[in-house]
Amino acid sequence: MKLTVIGGGSTYTPELVDGLARAHAALPVSELVLQDPDAERLDLVGGVAARMLRRAGHPATVTTTGDLDKAVADATVVLLQLRVGGQAARHVDETLPLGCGCVGQETTGAGGLAKALRTVPVVLDVAARVAELAPNAWIVDFTNPVGIVTRALLDAGHRTVGLCNVAIGFQRRAAKLLDVPPDRVSLGHAGLNHLTWVRSVLLDGQEVLPRLLDEHPDALAEISGLPAGFLRGLGAVPSYYLRYFYEHDRVVEEQRAATSTRAEQVAALERDLLDLYADPVLDSKPPQLEKRGGAFYSEAAVQLAASLLTGRGDAQVVNVRNNGTLPFLDDQAVVEVPARITASGAVPLPVPPVEPLFAGLIAHVSSYEELALAAALRGGVDRVAAALLAHPLIGQHDLADRLARDLVAANRDHLPWAA
């Protein structure tokens, strides 16, 4: 089978390759194609990818190309991990909103909207080529903002499932705290991408979340970025992205006081990683890659692709159409919940009624995502302002209007409608 990675020049890619190398039986890839417009990065990443597979005795060949059509033609799975505008655009996403007193983050709030505006049209262009040249391929979207991008793909009729590593990361951490293998642990995980709560942790089918909250409060606080006492009061563990909502003003203060943005830190780390990848002796994932983020990304991607291709029917947390799963949302919304993975796609499993404290925020952000997608597809400063006005982290007309103008101006090179 042919697995194609769009954005294959990413420094993330060796993480994926490490997972493929360890899972040949579950996902028998014969050709790994890395596509990226940056030929220099692609050459370095492709080289270390080939050496990693060779060291593992994996039979797959590695092909690198900047040609999108060549990359996707006859693919079985196409994995999207692209970043339009690179770390430079991310730096703007993380700094521009701070001038208005709003949190600066690449997937949440104004920065997340800017990324959606840049990303959705590019992803849809890629998916159109997949539909033409590999109509039976599955598109696995790891490109942020995953919820909005996945909905754009589904609305356009593509065979796609959205993927995030937050759920598998928590599951692995919970299993470690419980000192058991991960396959014995399942999560009651519900919400939207980067807006989720773990409301249940089952060990062999038995509820153990209260035990975790009681015995490991500091570890759970570290995972969520929120105080242990607050978590006990919620009776749930929010994703660490909820800190941008629950401690917004404190986060803004921290970001304003920081000496560098996450984008600047990642850009420096990427330079170091590319230097490592250039070493012709390197044939394994370097430990420095852990600082890049994306923990367990490879395991999640391999598991999802394998289940889609074999229809094995296991449960995984993915981004999928709501279709009544959360009854307070539109059926067309995209939610992040456990789903049964079949050869026909992901089918969301039933979710217990969501508490009003969580449901209200989910509904609010879901409405924002609908407006954000409209702005990404149709353009217009007024549509951008409407999406910002709908976002709970902004929600004031003067801020929304100012941010809309500033975001469009800062991203003009990536927005054909704004030229």
Side-chain angles (χ1 to χ4, degrees), residues 161-373:
V161 180
L163 182 64
C164 181
N165 66 324
V166 168
I168 192 173
F170 185 90
Q171 186 227 22
R172 295 298 194 264
R173 293 285 296 273
K176 187 173 182 180
L177 292 173
L178 294 165
D179 195 25
V180 298
D183 60 6
R184 293 178 58 189
V185 176
S186 60
L187 305 180
H189 174 109
L192 310 175
N193 179 241
H194 289 186
L195 195 88
T196 53
W197 293 259
V198 173
R199 301 185 297 145
S200 175
V201 178
L202 301 181
L203 172 60
D204 299 331
Q206 299 299 310
E207 180 62 73
V208 294
L209 180 56
R211 169 183 157 192
L212 286 172
L213 288 166
D214 183 55
E215 296 180 0
H216 302 283
D218 293 339
L220 297 182
E222 180 184 356
I223 292 170
S224 67
L226 293 162
F230 176 68
L231 301 185
R232 287 197 188 96
L234 287 180
V237 183
S239 119
Y240 49 83
Y241 290 91
L242 264 297
R243 185 170 186 252
Y244 299 119
F245 294 81
Y246 291 149
E247 294 188 342
H248 176 273
D249 293 353
R250 183 177 300 173
V251 172
V252 169
E253 290 178 5
E254 293 171 358
Q255 291 180 333
R256 284 176 163 171
T259 57
S260 62
T261 64
R262 176 61 178 162
E264 290 171 323
Q265 296 164 11
V266 171
L269 178 59
E270 286 190 328
R271 290 191 291 270
D272 292 341
L273 287 169
L274 290 170
D275 285 343
L276 291 171
Y277 297 164
D279 182 351
V281 176
L282 182 70
D283 59 1
S284 61
K285 181 179 69 172
Q288 292 91 329
L289 189 55
E290 293 181 7
K291 300 177 184 178
R292 179 64 179 81
F296 306 109
Y297 154 56
S298 64
E299 292 182 47
V302 168
Q303 285 181 10
L304 178 55
S307 294
L308 287 170
L309 297 179
T310 62
R312 61 189 177 188
D314 58 333
Q316 299 178 32
V317 175
V318 294
N319 285 262
V320 65
R321 286 280 197 211
N322 180 46
N323 286 337
T325 307
L326 302 183
F328 52 89
L329 296 185
D330 186 87
D331 282 350
Q332 299 304 301
V334 167
V335 295
E336 187 171 291
V337 295
R340 189 74 59 198
I341 311 300
T342 74
S344 300
V347 181
L349 296 170
V351 171
V354 176
E355 298 85 341
L357 179 62
F358 308 149
L361 186 53
I362 292 170
H364 197 160
V365 175
S366 182
S367 294
Y368 149 76
E369 289 189 345
E370 184 172 351
L371 292 168
L373 181 56

Side-chain angles (χ1 to χ4, degrees), residues 75-98:
T76 307
V77 177
V78 177
L79 196 152
L80 306 180
Q81 60 172 34
L82 53 90
R83 180 184 291 277
V84 179
Q87 298 300 329
R90 177 180 182 173
H91 176 72
V92 176
D93 296 344
E94 293 176 340
T95 54
L96 189 152
L98 293 176

